[in-house]
């Protein structure tokens, strides 16, 4: 039977509680068109909280290069075609010695100029490859392969689908130094991007995948490169996705289905898949500054307008501040968790809607909307077995059934089954208690109700419950370890309430683990 808990509504409990966010993702990048607007400090500073790198399809910035530092963003050069300016590239790399790790090779060589490609046959690319390799060798850079796309264009009298282009290139340059594959994708749905970066080059799950028996025979030079790389490194070469957004408009209903909400929801799901994939080295959203700004189709601009003073668009705020899916980050008791910093989430029609925060008194950048059936997962690290208070800072217009699962769905993993009350559309704190064991957990917070819940942060706190009172000088059994009530280890405890554990992690005490030192 479900347990119905009493809830306490408290306004602004989170004020003055420090927010310790995830680390910025090193994967997350952006495309910037300096033909529309040259680089300046203001837009770089607005993107820097969540975007680690940028490129402009050129060998160096045409605007200010001083805006790129290890504490802001990294500019990654690209050799757009075989005629790249070797001198300018070397000058930039010399000035930014040690800051740049990658060198992007040719842009969409299997597309015509009119479609944005560099229109290079594999032979033309092979002829210029030694020049790319020499720059990389001189500056210690890793080479990202020519960025391909699906195409119907003729280049050199032939339509080069991606496997065929790479296969011919590696036939011509079998010992080419290539550290990463590279691709562009304007497919609308996250599932297509997931397939592209996790399966297309790596598996035989679909008939179009490279590793099917038929394709291994059809593209032997590409397969040889892949297999040799795996032998040397223990895995296939990872992927850069250096252009992507939803822009598949070649037939109905694709174009009719692209709205701003659609673009953001698909972007959120694409970022989740890209961040959680071990086969993705980096990705860059297309794009930061299109000519028409945020109001122009397909609504993918990071900024509201194409001006240096522009604020981030709604989509831009989500891209910059959304979760980095930092697997190393576990939140401690008492530590505020921004709701947008989930580590996993429901998808498709139940995807949590990540949007700019609507709580006017808050400086938290984003909120999430738990729609009916939505869930998000958070990583926490608890100091002891026992009861914890969960505080949700939320807004809702109706009561909703709510569950917490530990690690995975299933009755054996259910830790809470209750009802969250309506806050009548006002942002408030809703608290309940949940019993959990010590250690690291991935908790799935699941809206089982029929209406939406807006949430921008949450927190787990240890409840009280004193086991023993001890003098300051008394030793806590051999090798005992003290923690404060926020889960922080205390080397030299003084007066106060502490959680006590043995060095092996066992709780001290029969019925509890909190002691008072007087």
């Amino acid at each position: 039977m479900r347990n119905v808990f009493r809830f306490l509504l408290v306004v602004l409990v989170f004020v003055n509680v420090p927010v310790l966010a995830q680390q910025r993702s090193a994967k997350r990048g952006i495309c910037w068109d300096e033909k529309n607007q040259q680089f300046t400090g203001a837009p770089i500073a607005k993107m820097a909280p969540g975007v680690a790198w940028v490129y402009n399809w050129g060998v160096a910035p045409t605007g200010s290069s001083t805006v790129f530092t290890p504490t802001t963003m990294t500019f990654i050069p690209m050799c757009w075609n075989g005629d790249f300016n070797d001198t300018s590239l070397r000058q930039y790399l010399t000035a930014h010695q040690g800051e740049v790790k990658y060198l992007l090779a040719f842009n969409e060589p299997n597309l015509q100029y009119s479609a944005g490609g560099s229109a290079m046959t594999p032979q033309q690319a092979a002829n210029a490859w030694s020049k790319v390799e020499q720059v990389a060798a001189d500056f210690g850079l890793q080479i990202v392969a020519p960025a391909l796309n699906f195409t119907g264009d003729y280049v050199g009298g032939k339509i080069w689908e991606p496997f065929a282009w790479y296969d011919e290139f590696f036939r011509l340059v079998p010992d080419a130094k290539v550290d990463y594959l590279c691709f562009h994708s304007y497919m609308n749905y996250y599932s297509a991007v997931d397939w592209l970066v996790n399966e297309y080059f790596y598996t035989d799950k679909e008939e179009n995948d490279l590793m099917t028996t038929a394709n291994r025979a059809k593209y032997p030079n590409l397969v040889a490169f892949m297999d040799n790389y795996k032998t040397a490194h223990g895995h296939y070469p990872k992927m850069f996705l250096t252009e992507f957004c939803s822009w598949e408009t070649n037939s109905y209903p694709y174009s009719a289905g692209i709205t701003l909400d659609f673009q953001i929801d698909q972007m959120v799901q694409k970022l989740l898949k890209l961040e959680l994939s071990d086969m993705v080295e980096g990705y860059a959203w297309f794009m930061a500054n299109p000519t028409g700004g945020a109001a122009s189709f397909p609504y993918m601009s990071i900024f509201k307008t194409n001006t240096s003073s522009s604020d981030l668009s709604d989509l831009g705020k989500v891209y910059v501040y959304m979760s980095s899916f930092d697997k190393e980050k576990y939140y401690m008791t008492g530590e505020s968790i921004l709701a947008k910093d989930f580590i996993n989430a429901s998808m498709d029609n139940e995807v949590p809607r990540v949007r700019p925060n609507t709580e006017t008194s808050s400086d938290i950048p984003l909120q999430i909307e738990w729609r009916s059936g939505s869930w998000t997962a958070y990583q926490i690290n608890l100091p002891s077995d026992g009861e914890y208070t969960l505080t949700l800072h939320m807004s809702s217009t109706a009561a909703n059934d709510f569950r917490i699962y530990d690690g995975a769905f299933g009755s054996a993993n259910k830790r809470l089954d209750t009802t969250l009350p309506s806050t009548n559309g006002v942002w408030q704190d809703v608290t309940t208690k949940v019993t959990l064991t010590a250690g690291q957990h991935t908790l799935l917070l699941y809206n089982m109700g029929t209406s939406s819940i807006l949430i921008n942060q949450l927190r787990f706190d240890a409840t009280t419950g004193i086991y023993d009172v001890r003098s300051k000088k008394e030793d806590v059994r051999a090798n005992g370890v003290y923690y404060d009530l926020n889960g922080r280890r205390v080397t030299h405890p003084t007066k106060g309430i502490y959680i006590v554990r043995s060095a092996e992690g066992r709780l001290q005490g029969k019925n509890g683990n909190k002691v008072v030192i007087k």
Side-chain angles (χ1 to χ4, degrees), residues 78-131:
M78 170 182 268
C79 305
W80 193 80
N81 64 12
D83 296 325
F84 65 91
N85 189 322
D86 185 84
T87 300
S88 295
L89 174 57
R90 290 175 177 275
Q91 287 174 344
Y92 182 82
L93 292 172
T94 299
H96 294 264
Q97 192 82 36
E99 295 178 17
V100 181
K101 180 179 179 181
Y102 309 104
L103 179 61
L104 304 175
F106 313 132
N107 185 73
E108 295 183 339
N110 62 335
L111 270 68
Q112 283 286 352
Y113 293 115
S114 59
S118 58
M120 299 176 70
T121 65
Q123 183 66 66
Q124 290 171 316
N127 292 344
W129 197 250
S130 61
K131 194 164 96 168

Side-chain angles (χ1 to χ4, degrees), residues 87-379:
T87 300
S88 295
L89 174 57
R90 290 175 177 275
Q91 287 174 344
Y92 182 82
L93 292 172
T94 299
H96 294 264
Q97 192 82 36
E99 295 178 17
V100 181
K101 180 179 179 181
Y102 309 104
L103 179 61
L104 304 175
F106 313 132
N107 185 73
E108 295 183 339
N110 62 335
L111 270 68
Q112 283 286 352
Y113 293 115
S114 59
S118 58
M120 299 176 70
T121 65
Q123 183 66 66
Q124 290 171 316
N127 292 344
W129 197 250
S130 61
K131 194 164 96 168
V132 175
E133 288 192 353
Q134 189 60 59
V135 173
D138 291 345
F139 290 91
L141 306 180
Q142 295 179 327
I143 299 176
V144 181
L148 302 184
N149 203 340
F150 298 111
T151 180
D153 289 359
Y154 283 86
V155 174
K158 179 178 178 179
I159 296 176
W160 293 95
E161 54 87 10
F163 290 162
W165 195 99
Y166 273 147
D167 187 69
E168 178 64 6
F169 174 78
F170 285 113
R171 186 188 71 81
L172 296 166
V173 195
D175 58 348
K177 175 177 167 51
V178 172
D179 298 292
Y180 302 97
L181 299 173
C182 194
F183 220 87
H184 294 169
S185 171
Y186 293 94
M187 295 182 287
N188 286 354
Y189 290 91
Y190 82 89
S191 54
V193 172
D194 184 26
W195 162 77
L196 175 63
V197 300
N198 288 312
E199 297 181 19
Y200 183 49
F201 283 91
Y202 307 121
T203 75
D204 60 358
K205 294 180 180 180
E206 306 288 342
E207 65 178 357
N208 292 327
D209 293 348
L210 178 61
M211 296 304 168
T212 63
T213 301
N215 280 340
R216 287 183 71 90
K218 187 176 181 180
Y219 307 109
N221 305 291
L222 173 56
V223 169
F225 162 74
M226 299 287 287
D227 288 345
N228 291 338
Y229 189 100
K230 185 176 182 180
T231 299
H233 300 276
H235 58 81
Y236 289 128
K238 296 182 179 182
M239 171 80 68
F240 266 85
L241 187 67
T242 50
E243 290 182 20
F244 75 105
C245 72
S246 295
W247 203 349
E248 192 173 26
T249 61
N250 55 326
S251 62
Y252 183 85
Y254 293 126
S255 58
I258 299 178
T259 64
L260 176 59
D261 280 335
F262 178 88
Q263 188 74 265
I264 295 176
D265 287 342
Q266 291 301 318
M267 180 184 76
V268 165
Q269 294 171 95
K270 290 172 184 177
L271 294 190
L272 185 153
K273 293 297 185 181
L274 293 169
E275 289 288 354
L276 294 182
S277 173
D278 292 333
M279 296 309 297
V280 174
E281 181 73 7
Y283 59 84
W285 181 257
F286 186 90
M287 60 183 299
N289 60 330
T291 303
S296 62
F297 184 85
Y299 321 112
M300 79 305 204
S301 178
I302 293 294
F303 288 91
K304 290 182 178 179
T305 61
N306 186 26
T307 59
S308 61
S309 60
S310 175
D311 290 329
L312 294 169
S313 65
D314 284 357
L315 180 144
K317 290 176 183 176
V318 174
Y319 190 76
V320 169
Y321 290 104
M322 188 182 156
S323 175
S324 63
F325 302 91
D326 183 357
K327 296 178 182 179
E328 302 302 315
K329 174 65 176 178
Y330 281 83
Y331 293 89
M332 305 298 291
T333 52
E335 187 176 356
S336 295
I337 306 171
L338 298 187
K340 58 91 175 178
D341 283 339
F342 50 85
I343 196 67
N344 208 338
S346 50
M347 308 292 277
D348 298 311
N349 293 332
E350 288 79 40
V351 63
R353 295 197 125 170
V354 184
R355 296 294 188 273
N357 191 13
T358 57
E359 185 182 20
T360 55
S361 61
S362 172
D363 61 359
I364 295 173
L366 300 177
Q367 67 186 29
I368 64 171
E369 178 189 351
W370 279 330
R371 296 187 284 179
S372 177
S374 293
W375 60 268
T376 48
Y378 302 93
Q379 296 186 152

Side-chain angles (χ1 to χ4, degrees), residues 495-508:
K495 294 181 179 180
I497 302 174
Y498 296 92
I499 298 166
V500 184
R501 299 169 65 87
S502 71
E504 293 79 18
R506 296 188 299 272
L507 302 181
Q508 300 276 354

Side-chain angles (χ1 to χ4, degrees), residues 328-335 337 378-385 388 436-443 460-462 483-488 499 501:
E328 302 302 315
K329 174 65 176 178
Y330 281 83
Y331 293 89
M332 305 298 291
T333 52
E335 187 176 356
I337 306 171
Y378 302 93
Q379 296 186 152
I380 63 171
N381 190 7
L382 303 178
S384 61
D385 297 352
Y388 290 85
L436 297 163
T437 58
Q440 295 180 341
H441 298 263
T442 300
L443 297 182
F460 288 87
D461 291 295
Y483 297 84
D484 66 19
L485 294 182
N486 287 327
R488 295 182 289 256
I499 298 166
R501 299 169 65 87

